Amino acid sequence: MASLSTIGSIRELSFEILQYLSPPDIFSLLLTCKLFYPVCYQSLWSTLRLYSKSHISDKGRICYKLARLIKTRGVDNTGVQHIRTILLHRYSLTCTNGFVKSGFIHVLEELLRSGRLGLKHLELRYNSEKEELFSFLGHLREYSQRKQPDEFSMAIIANPIFLEPGIRTQVLHIEKITSLDLEMDWQYKGSDDDERQHAYGAGGLGAWEDSDSDYTGPGDGLDDLDDEEGWPRPASDQPGALDGIRPSNLQMDTSQYNTRLAGILTHLLSQATNLRSLTIRSIRDNGRRYTDFRLSPPLKNLQTTIKNLPKLHTLTIQGKIFHPSFFIAPPDSARVVNYDGVLPNKWVGGFRECSFANVTHLKVKFREDVQERGKGCRDFRKRPVTYVKVSGLLRCDIEGFDTVAPDLGLCILRANRRLDELSKKNLSKDIEHPL
């Protein structure tokens, strides 16, 4: 067995061991063992967390302490030169947070400008257009442009509306983003007002849509969904929407006509050539009534853009993206795919026909339509799928499929013989005659 002195003399081995310790444990080791002091000190500074669960409401006190420490002792007498990762609090890029008020933002600006900070990764919640922040983001962009993708990367959490192409938002170097978490706030004022007016004023709700209504009779099978030209338009929904009728007091949702947001996402993702993880999730999207979904050219472009992401490893869709029936297929590079939401029949039709090439881990959670049947999302009926194209899964977890497609679990089991035992067990438990 190797002694502590042997382990402490091999820096690479010491750093590997410290990966399994929490910061408090590393700090305790630093205080108790002189041999490990240098590597522990460097490890503690390597990731600068300007937030944690206990610091959500600390008003940026940690930033004040860091700014005061650097001012008193100087950069060279602190561990700032060891910082490789910075994780910013969700409110750090607002003028009310200590990151700005303490002046620590200017310290990082100078370090980035001078090249004294060897930053390799930054996690940032970008939700502000305040003038005071553009200087910091500008220096960050200049720094990132000097680095190769394997030398510097960013993880961005943002409402896509803040990433609209323009002078102010160009401060983010999109090509360096490796992880992108997009928060689709469908109640954000100004995101789709002009599209809503256009939709109502340019020939009604069907003006921007293809003629591919997903409505079929309750006795029809999913195979009917293959013949899009033959799908009839329902006469009950659209006139009511145009006439101002709101059954069950639900607000009419027009998100699928938001071409501005579809364009923002398409432009953003087309530049994110090094993206490895993409999460798109809805927030604050309750009490909506949906018209039938028809795939418009802007949404087709968005589908194609996501399908062409060259390095994407993980795709996660949570909630609605433009419409519950809008199916997003992963690119061939994807290995892990997660869907979670109210997923109606037309979405299931897209899922059934997707081969999920190279995907090994698939997770789907079907949530129940909490609105009245036919009011929240009308295309939500229990119907068999009979088969699925995906056949290369190693792990699969599908929850709640019996509410929409009762034979989906069985179809997955039949087509994916290499599933691990836990996946087989979970898929079989709700099947009357499991394999």
Side-chain angles (χ1 to χ4, degrees):
M1 181 180 293
S3 64
L4 282 178
S5 60
T6 302
I7 295 174
S9 64
I10 307 175
R11 292 180 61 84
E12 293 79 5
L13 180 58
S14 300
F15 274 115
E16 182 66 25
I17 293 174
L18 293 180
Q19 299 302 313
Y20 298 92
L21 301 180
S22 65
D25 291 336
I26 296 175
F27 185 70
S28 297
L29 183 59
L30 175 147
L31 294 177
T32 57
C33 185
K34 183 183 296 185
L35 186 63
F36 279 91
Y37 182 92
V39 68
C40 288
Y41 183 79
Q42 183 174 343
S43 178
L44 286 171
W45 277 94
S46 63
T47 298
L48 180 60
R49 296 175 177 85
L50 299 185
Y51 71 91
S52 70
K53 290 183 178 179
S54 61
H55 293 146
I56 292 299
S57 60
D58 72 349
K59 305 301 182 184
R61 286 193 293 270
I62 187 174
C63 295
Y64 283 97
K65 293 177 181 178
L66 286 169
R68 187 163 53 249
L69 175 66
I70 294 171
K71 183 178 179 180
T72 303
R73 302 185 60 181
V75 173
D76 296 333
N77 293 318
T78 67
V80 172
Q81 67 269 23
H82 298 305
I83 295 176
R84 296 295 178 264
T85 300
I86 297 179
L87 308 178
L88 291 174
H89 178 267
R90 61 177 298 173
Y91 299 115
S92 292
L93 295 189
T94 64
C95 296
T96 58
N97 188 269
F99 182 57
V100 176
K101 287 189 173 182
S102 68
F104 189 58
I105 185 174
H106 302 302
V107 173
L108 290 184
E109 282 180 15
E110 176 58 27
L111 292 172
L112 287 171
R113 186 195 63 79
S114 64
R116 299 173 70 186
L117 183 62
L119 195 62
K120 295 182 65 68
H121 182 74
L122 182 135
E123 179 183 297
L124 164 68
R125 179 177 288 267
Y126 185 64
N127 60 353
S128 177
E129 294 180 340
K130 300 295 185 181
E131 293 286 351
E132 292 84 350
L133 303 172
F134 291 136
S135 177
F136 170 71
L137 294 176
H139 283 99
L140 179 63
R141 177 179 174 82
E142 292 173 2
Y143 175 85
S144 66
Q145 287 178 322
R146 300 194 299 266
K147 301 294 182 179
Q148 296 299 318
D150 60 339
E151 295 176 322
F152 177 75
S153 63
M154 291 188 294
I156 304 296
I157 305 172
N159 185 327
I161 206 69
F162 289 111
L163 301 175
E164 185 173 10
I167 295 176
R168 294 193 170 196
T169 55
Q170 291 304 312
V171 292
L172 290 179
H173 194 194
I174 305 301
E175 292 183 6
K176 293 301 191 300
I177 297 177
T178 55
S179 177
L180 190 57
D181 186 338
L182 298 175
E183 299 178 328
M184 310 289 284
D185 186 352
W186 298 106
Q187 297 182 22
Y188 181 84
K189 299 302 181 183
S191 64
D192 61 351
D193 288 345
D194 45 358
E195 282 75 14
R196 184 182 294 111
Q197 287 298 114
H198 193 150
Y200 285 129
L205 286 171
W208 293 351
E209 304 169 355
D210 296 339
S211 58
D212 59 346
S213 169
D214 59 349
Y215 179 79
T216 54
D220 297 333
L222 274 175
D223 288 337
D224 298 332
L225 297 178
D226 297 333
D227 183 14
E228 296 185 359
E229 296 298 329
W231 296 343
R233 289 176 181 264
S236 58
D237 272 3
Q238 293 183 8
L242 295 174
D243 293 339
I245 300 173
R246 296 290 184 269
S248 302
N249 296 319
L250 296 180
Q251 180 182 356
M252 177 60 68
D253 184 274
T254 59
S255 302
Q256 63 174 304
Y257 310 107
N258 192 335
T259 58
R260 175 190 174 195
L261 185 54
I264 291 172
L265 286 174
T266 300
H267 183 268
L268 171 68
L269 294 175
S270 65
Q271 298 179 79
T273 54
N274 290 294
L275 196 63
R276 291 186 55 81
S277 175
L278 173 62
T279 298
I280 304 177
R281 53 195 175 94
S282 294
I283 56 176
R284 293 187 291 275
D285 184 47
N286 299 322
R288 299 300 183 98
R289 177 172 175 262
Y290 299 96
T291 61
D292 290 331
F293 176 68
R294 296 169 184 84
L295 192 58
S296 64
L299 295 184
K300 288 181 179 178
N301 291 338
L302 179 58
Q303 275 185 330
T304 302
T305 300
I306 294 177
K307 183 68 175 175
N308 290 336
L309 289 172
K311 298 181 180 180
L312 193 71
H313 178 273
T314 302
L315 173 66
T316 300
I317 307 292
Q318 296 179 338
K320 178 200 74 176
I321 171 172
F322 292 95
H323 191 282
S325 296
F326 185 34
F327 177 75
I328 297 292
D332 291 344
S333 59
R335 299 295 183 270
V336 180
V337 178
N338 304 290
Y339 300 105
D340 183 341
V342 176
L343 308 173
N345 295 106
K346 187 169 186 179
W347 186 95
V348 173
F351 176 87
R352 180 190 67 172
E353 298 297 332
C354 183
S355 64
F356 292 94
N358 302 315
V359 172
T360 58
H361 294 62
L362 176 65
K363 183 175 183 179
V364 185
K365 184 172 184 177
F366 289 87
R367 296 187 182 272
E368 292 190 32
D369 184 6
V370 296
Q371 310 295 343
E372 292 183 49
R373 294 285 180 176
K375 303 298 184 182
C377 187
R378 62 177 293 127
D379 179 37
F380 197 94
R381 299 173 294 281
K382 184 182 292 188
R383 303 163 67 182
V385 297
T386 67
Y387 77 96
V388 291
K389 282 190 175 180
V390 58
S391 60
L393 299 179
L394 301 179
R395 185 177 301 172
C396 183
D397 182 11
I398 302 185
E399 181 180 341
F401 61 85
D402 56 309
T403 63
V404 181
D407 65 335
L408 182 57
L410 183 58
C411 291
I412 294 288
L413 284 172
R414 285 173 173 169
N416 295 268
R417 297 293 183 175
R418 295 189 298 158
L419 285 172
D420 64 5
E421 291 303 318
L422 181 60
S423 298
K424 291 179 180 179
K425 179 180 179 181
N426 290 337
L427 288 171
S428 299
K429 64 183 179 182
D430 294 325
I431 298 175
E432 185 176 354
H433 300 292
L435 294 180

PDB file of all heavy atoms in Angstrom, residues 292-304:
ATOM      1  N   ASP A 292     -54.673  22.793 -33.306  1.00  0.00           N
ATOM      2  CA  ASP A 292     -53.951  21.677 -33.908  1.00  0.00           C
ATOM      3  C   ASP A 292     -52.618  22.163 -34.463  1.00  0.00           C
ATOM      4  O   ASP A 292     -52.512  23.258 -35.005  1.00  0.00           O
ATOM      5  CB  ASP A 292     -54.784  21.046 -35.024  1.00  0.00           C
ATOM      6  CG  ASP A 292     -55.983  20.299 -34.474  1.00  0.00           C
ATOM      7  OD1 ASP A 292     -55.891  19.802 -33.342  1.00  0.00           O
ATOM      8  OD2 ASP A 292     -57.011  20.227 -35.174  1.00  0.00           O
ATOM      9  N   PHE A 293     -51.616  21.320 -34.346  1.00  0.00           N
ATOM     10  CA  PHE A 293     -50.269  21.694 -34.742  1.00  0.00           C
ATOM     11  C   PHE A 293     -50.018  21.411 -36.218  1.00  0.00           C
ATOM     12  O   PHE A 293     -50.328  20.331 -36.716  1.00  0.00           O
ATOM     13  CB  PHE A 293     -49.258  20.914 -33.899  1.00  0.00           C
ATOM     14  CG  PHE A 293     -47.830  21.168 -34.291  1.00  0.00           C
ATOM     15  CD1 PHE A 293     -47.264  22.413 -34.069  1.00  0.00           C
ATOM     16  CD2 PHE A 293     -47.067  20.179 -34.886  1.00  0.00           C
ATOM     17  CE1 PHE A 293     -45.943  22.657 -34.416  1.00  0.00           C
ATOM     18  CE2 PHE A 293     -45.752  20.414 -35.233  1.00  0.00           C
ATOM     19  CZ  PHE A 293     -45.190  21.663 -35.008  1.00  0.00           C
ATOM     20  N   ARG A 294     -49.431  22.394 -36.895  1.00  0.00           N
ATOM     21  CA  ARG A 294     -49.001  22.234 -38.281  1.00  0.00           C
ATOM     22  C   ARG A 294     -47.586  22.768 -38.400  1.00  0.00           C
ATOM     23  O   ARG A 294     -47.305  23.880 -37.974  1.00  0.00           O
ATOM     24  CB  ARG A 294     -49.956  22.950 -39.229  1.00  0.00           C
ATOM     25  CG  ARG A 294     -51.351  22.339 -39.188  1.00  0.00           C
ATOM     26  CD  ARG A 294     -52.363  23.202 -39.920  1.00  0.00           C
ATOM     27  NE  ARG A 294     -53.683  22.618 -39.778  1.00  0.00           N
ATOM     28  CZ  ARG A 294     -54.474  22.826 -38.722  1.00  0.00           C
ATOM     29  NH1 ARG A 294     -54.071  23.615 -37.759  1.00  0.00           N
ATOM     30  NH2 ARG A 294     -55.647  22.246 -38.643  1.00  0.00           N
ATOM     31  N   LEU A 295     -46.725  21.983 -38.970  1.00  0.00           N
ATOM     32  CA  LEU A 295     -45.308  22.308 -39.001  1.00  0.00           C
ATOM     33  C   LEU A 295     -45.029  23.396 -40.029  1.00  0.00           C
ATOM     34  O   LEU A 295     -45.103  23.170 -41.236  1.00  0.00           O
ATOM     35  CB  LEU A 295     -44.504  21.048 -39.326  1.00  0.00           C
ATOM     36  CG  LEU A 295     -42.993  21.112 -39.125  1.00  0.00           C
ATOM     37  CD1 LEU A 295     -42.648  21.461 -37.693  1.00  0.00           C
ATOM     38  CD2 LEU A 295     -42.365  19.773 -39.498  1.00  0.00           C
ATOM     39  N   SER A 296     -44.685  24.588 -39.556  1.00  0.00           N
ATOM     40  CA  SER A 296     -44.408  25.728 -40.429  1.00  0.00           C
ATOM     41  C   SER A 296     -42.954  25.701 -40.886  1.00  0.00           C
ATOM     42  O   SER A 296     -42.111  25.040 -40.272  1.00  0.00           O
ATOM     43  CB  SER A 296     -44.706  27.027 -39.685  1.00  0.00           C
ATOM     44  OG  SER A 296     -43.836  27.169 -38.574  1.00  0.00           O
ATOM     45  N   PRO A 297     -42.608  26.431 -41.948  1.00  0.00           N
ATOM     46  CA  PRO A 297     -41.201  26.477 -42.410  1.00  0.00           C
ATOM     47  C   PRO A 297     -40.206  26.900 -41.327  1.00  0.00           C
ATOM     48  O   PRO A 297     -39.134  26.292 -41.230  1.00  0.00           O
ATOM     49  CB  PRO A 297     -41.258  27.468 -43.573  1.00  0.00           C
ATOM     50  CG  PRO A 297     -42.634  27.317 -44.122  1.00  0.00           C
ATOM     51  CD  PRO A 297     -43.507  27.094 -42.921  1.00  0.00           C
ATOM     52  N   PRO A 298     -40.499  27.920 -40.484  1.00  0.00           N
ATOM     53  CA  PRO A 298     -39.526  28.260 -39.429  1.00  0.00           C
ATOM     54  C   PRO A 298     -39.267  27.114 -38.455  1.00  0.00           C
ATOM     55  O   PRO A 298     -38.128  26.920 -38.014  1.00  0.00           O
ATOM     56  CB  PRO A 298     -40.168  29.461 -38.719  1.00  0.00           C
ATOM     57  CG  PRO A 298     -41.070  30.066 -39.735  1.00  0.00           C
ATOM     58  CD  PRO A 298     -41.605  28.903 -40.511  1.00  0.00           C
ATOM     59  N   LEU A 299     -40.309  26.348 -38.130  1.00  0.00           N
ATOM     60  CA  LEU A 299     -40.115  25.218 -37.219  1.00  0.00           C
ATOM     61  C   LEU A 299     -39.405  24.058 -37.915  1.00  0.00           C
ATOM     62  O   LEU A 299     -38.637  23.317 -37.284  1.00  0.00           O
ATOM     63  CB  LEU A 299     -41.452  24.763 -36.646  1.00  0.00           C
ATOM     64  CG  LEU A 299     -42.155  25.781 -35.740  1.00  0.00           C
ATOM     65  CD1 LEU A 299     -43.429  25.196 -35.154  1.00  0.00           C
ATOM     66  CD2 LEU A 299     -41.229  26.250 -34.621  1.00  0.00           C
ATOM     67  N   LYS A 300     -39.631  23.893 -39.214  1.00  0.00           N
ATOM     68  CA  LYS A 300     -38.876  22.888 -39.964  1.00  0.00           C
ATOM     69  C   LYS A 300     -37.390  23.242 -39.966  1.00  0.00           C
ATOM     70  O   LYS A 300     -36.530  22.365 -39.826  1.00  0.00           O
ATOM     71  CB  LYS A 300     -39.401  22.795 -41.396  1.00  0.00           C
ATOM     72  CG  LYS A 300     -40.768  22.132 -41.523  1.00  0.00           C
ATOM     73  CD  LYS A 300     -41.180  22.062 -42.980  1.00  0.00           C
ATOM     74  CE  LYS A 300     -42.538  21.386 -43.128  1.00  0.00           C
ATOM     75  NZ  LYS A 300     -42.981  21.339 -44.549  1.00  0.00           N
ATOM     76  N   ASN A 301     -37.098  24.524 -40.134  1.00  0.00           N
ATOM     77  CA  ASN A 301     -35.696  24.966 -40.106  1.00  0.00           C
ATOM     78  C   ASN A 301     -35.060  24.685 -38.758  1.00  0.00           C
ATOM     79  O   ASN A 301     -33.890  24.293 -38.674  1.00  0.00           O
ATOM     80  CB  ASN A 301     -35.608  26.455 -40.425  1.00  0.00           C
ATOM     81  CG  ASN A 301     -35.959  26.771 -41.866  1.00  0.00           C
ATOM     82  OD1 ASN A 301     -35.884  25.898 -42.733  1.00  0.00           O
ATOM     83  ND2 ASN A 301     -36.354  28.004 -42.127  1.00  0.00           N
ATOM     84  N   LEU A 302     -35.834  24.899 -37.675  1.00  0.00           N
ATOM     85  CA  LEU A 302     -35.319  24.631 -36.336  1.00  0.00           C
ATOM     86  C   LEU A 302     -35.052  23.139 -36.154  1.00  0.00           C
ATOM     87  O   LEU A 302     -34.014  22.746 -35.601  1.00  0.00           O
ATOM     88  CB  LEU A 302     -36.316  25.132 -35.286  1.00  0.00           C
ATOM     89  CG  LEU A 302     -35.943  24.899 -33.828  1.00  0.00           C
ATOM     90  CD1 LEU A 302     -34.603  25.556 -33.497  1.00  0.00           C
ATOM     91  CD2 LEU A 302     -37.033  25.435 -32.905  1.00  0.00           C
ATOM     92  N   GLN A 303     -35.976  22.304 -36.606  1.00  0.00           N
ATOM     93  CA  GLN A 303     -35.756  20.863 -36.552  1.00  0.00           C
ATOM     94  C   GLN A 303     -34.466  20.464 -37.264  1.00  0.00           C
ATOM     95  O   GLN A 303     -33.655  19.699 -36.742  1.00  0.00           O
ATOM     96  CB  GLN A 303     -36.935  20.132 -37.212  1.00  0.00           C
ATOM     97  CG  GLN A 303     -38.128  19.881 -36.326  1.00  0.00           C
ATOM     98  CD  GLN A 303     -39.179  19.049 -37.032  1.00  0.00           C
ATOM     99  OE1 GLN A 303     -39.315  19.097 -38.253  1.00  0.00           O
ATOM    100  NE2 GLN A 303     -39.915  18.270 -36.274  1.00  0.00           N
ATOM    101  N   THR A 304     -34.279  21.000 -38.458  1.00  0.00           N
ATOM    102  CA  THR A 304     -33.101  20.667 -39.256  1.00  0.00           C
ATOM    103  C   THR A 304     -31.821  21.135 -38.573  1.00  0.00           C
ATOM    104  O   THR A 304     -30.802  20.427 -38.575  1.00  0.00           O
ATOM    105  CB  THR A 304     -33.214  21.300 -40.648  1.00  0.00           C
ATOM    106  OG1 THR A 304     -34.401  20.832 -41.294  1.00  0.00           O
ATOM    107  CG2 THR A 304     -32.005  20.957 -41.504  1.00  0.00           C
TER     108      THR A 304
END
